[in-house]
C-alpha cells in the first residue's frame, strides 16, 4: 500500500514536471520566433545604414565634381577677363563675362543648396538607421539572454524528470 501511494505521488510529480517542461518548451519556441524577428529587423537596419552610407559617398563625390567644375569655370572667367583687358574695344566681352559670372554664381548657389539639402537628408536617415540598429541590437541581446534563461529552466526541468524517472 505504501508503494502504491508513493507511485501515485511520483506520477503526480512527474505529470507536474512534464507540464512545466511543456510550458518551458513553448516559451522557448516563442522566444526563438521573437529573436528571429529581431535579428531580421537588425539586418534590415544595417542594410539601410549601408545604403545611406553609399548615398553619402555619392553626394560627397557629386560635391567634389561641382567644386571641380566651379574651379574650371573660374579659370575660364579669368581667361576671359585677361582677353577682355587685352581687347578694351570689345564692349560685349565685359557684358558676357558679367553674365557668365552671374550665371556661375547662381549655379553655385543652387548646387550648394541642393547638396546641403541632400546631405542633411542623408545624415538624418543615417542617424535614424543608426538608432534602429542600436535598438535592434539591444532587443536581440535581451532576447538572447531570455533564451539562455529559458534554456536553463528547460535543462533544470529535464534534470528533474530524469531524477523522477530514476526514482520510479
Amino acid at each position: 500500500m505504501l508503494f502504491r501511494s508513493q507511485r501515485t505521488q511520483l506520477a503526480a510529480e512527474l505529470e507536474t514536471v512534464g507540464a512545466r517542461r511543456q510550458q518551458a518548451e513553448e516559451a522557448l519556441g516563442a522566444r526563438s520566433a521573437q529573436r528571429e524577428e529581431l535579428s531580421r529587423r537588425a539586418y534590415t537596419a544595417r542594410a539601410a545604414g549601408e545604403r545611406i552610407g553609399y548615398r553619402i559617398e555619392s553626394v560627397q563625390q557629386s560635391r567634389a565634381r561641382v567644386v571641380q567644375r566651379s574651379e574650371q569655370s573660374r579659370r575660364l572667367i579669368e581667361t576671359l577677363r585677361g582677353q577682355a583687358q587685352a581687347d578694351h574695344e570689345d564692349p560685349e566681352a565685359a557684358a558676357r563675362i558679367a553674365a557668365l559670372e552671374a550665371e556661375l554664381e547662381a549655379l553655385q548657389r543652387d548646387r550648394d543648396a541642393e547638396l546641403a539639402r541632400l546631405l542633411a537628408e542623408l545624415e538624418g536617415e543615417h542617424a535614424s538607421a543608426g538608432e534602429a540598429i542600436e535598438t535592434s541590437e539591444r532587443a536581440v541581446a535581451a532576447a538572447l539572454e531570455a533564451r539562455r534563461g529559458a534554456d536553463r529552466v528547460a535543462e533544470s526541468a529535464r534534470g528533474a524528470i530524469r531524477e523522477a524517472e530514476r526514482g520510479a
Side-chain angles (χ1 to χ4, degrees):
M1 193 68 129
L2 180 61
F3 292 120
R4 186 174 289 196
S5 67
Q6 285 178 339
R7 261 194 256 153
T8 305
Q9 182 182 4
L10 285 174
E13 287 178 20
L14 185 59
E15 190 173 314
T16 302
V17 168
R20 285 191 357 229
R21 177 182 180 186
Q22 181 66 30
Q23 289 173 347
E25 288 177 358
E26 288 172 3
L28 181 61
R31 285 186 183 105
S32 293
Q34 181 184 22
R35 182 177 178 276
E36 288 174 15
E37 175 61 21
L38 291 173
S39 292
R40 184 193 63 78
R41 281 195 215 158
Y43 175 78
T44 302
R46 281 188 197 105
E50 288 175 6
R51 286 192 307 272
I52 290 169
Y54 294 143
R55 285 185 66 192
I56 287 173
E57 287 176 17
S58 175
V59 167
Q60 290 171 343
Q61 290 172 354
S62 294
R63 182 178 185 275
R65 284 192 301 269
V66 167
V67 167
Q68 181 183 10
R69 281 187 251 152
S70 173
E71 289 301 316
Q72 288 173 347
S73 296
R74 289 188 199 290
R75 285 192 298 270
L76 177 61
I77 288 172
E78 291 301 319
T79 302
L80 289 174
R81 279 188 181 151
Q83 289 174 357
Q85 288 176 355
D87 189 15
H88 293 290
E89 298 173 6
D90 187 6
E92 291 179 18
R96 285 192 311 251
I97 291 173
L100 284 173
E101 287 178 341
E103 185 178 341
L104 178 62
E105 289 176 14
L107 285 172
Q108 187 65 35
R109 281 191 307 271
D110 290 347
R111 287 180 183 150
D112 287 345
E114 180 64 17
L115 286 174
R117 184 190 66 77
L118 283 173
L119 188 57
E121 178 183 324
L122 290 173
E123 287 174 347
E125 289 177 10
H126 188 263
S128 296
E131 291 171 8
I133 288 170
E134 289 177 17
T135 301
S136 295
E137 288 176 344
R138 283 193 301 270
V140 166
L144 183 59
E145 187 57 35
R147 180 179 179 188
R148 287 180 182 144
D151 286 345
R152 287 190 295 271
V153 168
E155 186 57 36
S156 174
R158 286 186 201 106
I161 289 172
R162 284 191 295 269
E163 286 297 321
E165 288 173 349
R166 278 190 226 140

